[in-house]
Amino acid sequence: MSQAPQPQAGGATSAPAVFTQALPSYLDPQHLGPWGIYLQQVDRVTPYLGKLARWVDTLKRPKRTLIVDVPIHLDNGSVAHFEGYRVQHNTSRGPGKGGVRFHQDVTLSEVMALSAWMSIKNAAVNVPYGGAKGGIRVDPRQLTQGELERVTRRYTSEIGIIIGPTKDIPAPDVNTNEQVMAWMMDTYSMNEGATATGVVTGKPVDLGGSLGRREATGRGVFTVGVEAARRIGLEVAGARVAVQGFGNVGGVAGKLFAEAGAKVVAVQDHGGTIYREAGLDVPALLAHVARQGSVAGFPGAEVIANDAFWSVPCDILIPAALEAQITEANAARIQARMVIEGANGPTTPQADDILRERNVLVLPDVIANAGGVTVSYFEWVQDFSSFFWSEDEINARLVKIMKEAFAAVWQVADENKVSLRTATFIVACKRILHARDLRGLYP
Ligand code: GLU
C-alpha cells in the first residue's frame, strides 16, 4: 500500500490527511460499484453534518470485514468451495444488524455497501443497531436442499466468531428465508452449547420468530408510499403500480396496494414481465408465483419485453429485486410520479439525478424498505424477553415508526431543498456520528 495522503472528498473538516494511510483500491471513492456509490452518497451529506463532519471518515470504512472460505461436500461426493463475507460497517449505536444473501454475483464491495446502507437505515428509523451484512457467492438454485443446509451451517460456523445476539444479528435477504435462519440459529446454538434464538431474526414463528416479520418490508414500502402519495396529491385508489420482483417485498407491497384500490398493471421477475392495463389479479398472481416460482405463464396477462417494463404507463414504480436496476439507460423513460425502493440500491446515482430533474419522487431504500429490520428489532426484543406480541400490535408499532421516520425525513428534505435520499442520510449520519462523538475513541 502506498503512503500517499488520502483524498479529502467533501470532508473539509476531516482530520489532517497526512495522518491517514492511502485507501486500498476497494475503499477508493473512484472505484465503481456499490461501495463507490455509497461513498458518493456520504460525500453529498458531508456539508450538512456541521461539527460532526470531523467524524465522517468513520462512515467511509467498515469497522470489521470478514472473508471466509465455505467448503462443503456436494451430493455427488466432491468438495466445493464458496466465498462468504460478513461485514460490520458500524456499531456506534448498537450491535451490527443486517441480512445475509446467497447469490452468484455477491462481491465484497456489494456486501460492504449493503452493510453501510444498513447503518443508515437502522439510524433512520432509530432502532438501536449499527449496520452489518453478509453474503455467500453461490447460486442457491444450483444446490440441493442438503447442500444448501451444509453451506448455511458451515458459513454460520465460520462467521460465528463475530456474530451473536449482542454483537451482530443476521436476518434474511436475497435468496435466504426462515429455514436458512433456523439452520443459522441452530448452528450458532450448537457451537455455543445453548439455544440462542436472538442470534438471527426472520426465524420461523415456532422458533422465536415474530408474527408479521415476513410481510414487514412490503408493509413498510406500502406505508411510506401512502404517506408520500398524500403529500404529492396522488390518489392511491386507482393509481397504477408497476412492481419489479414479486417475492417477500414486491409481492406483499403489491398486495397491499391492490387492497387499497390501486391497480397493479405490470410485474417483472426472473421469469419475465407481464402487463395488464386493467390491473392484474394480485391474489391469483401470488398463488401462481407460489406454485410456479415466477410470474411466467400467468393466465390473462400480456407478456412484454423485459426492457419495456421501464416505460409502462404507471403512477408508482416499485423496484423490489436487486441493485442497479434503474440506470441512465432507462431512467428517462420511467412514467411513474413516484419510485419506492423496495430493494437495496436499485437506482444508480446518475439515474437518481435524471429522476430528480424529471420531478419523479424517489423514496429511497434506506427509509422505504426499513420495515423489515424494524420488525427484526421487535423479534429480537421479543426473544430477549421471551414474551411475544400479537400481530396487530406489531403492525401498529411498525406503521407508527415508519410514519414518524418518514415525516422527519420529509421535513429535512423540505428545509434543505435536498432529495429524500440525501435527507435520510443527513438524519441517519447525524445520529451515528453523534453516538460516535459521545463514545469517543478507544484507547
Ligand atoms: N435484509 C433486510 C434489509 O436489507 C432486513 C435486515 C434485517 O432484518 O436485519 O433491510
Side-chain angles (χ1 to χ4, degrees), residues 97-99 118 121 133 169 171-173 201 213 344 369 372-373 376:
K97 182 87 190 83
M118 287 309 303
K121 191 186 301 185
K133 200 84 175 195
I169 306 104
D173 198 76
T201 58
R213 174 62 185 87
N344 289 309
N369 72 29
V373 73
S376 275

Side-chain angles (χ1 to χ4, degrees), residues 86 97-101 114 118 121-122 129 132-133 169-174 176 201-202 213 217 342-344 365 369-377:
R86 185 73 188 171
K97 182 87 190 83
V100 171
R101 66 173 54 183
L114 290 164
M118 287 309 303
K121 191 186 301 185
N122 293 335
Y129 292 133
K133 200 84 175 195
I169 306 104
D173 198 76
V174 174
T176 54
T201 58
R213 174 62 185 87
T217 311
N344 289 309
D365 48 7
N369 72 29
V373 73
T374 300
V375 176
S376 275
Y377 165 58

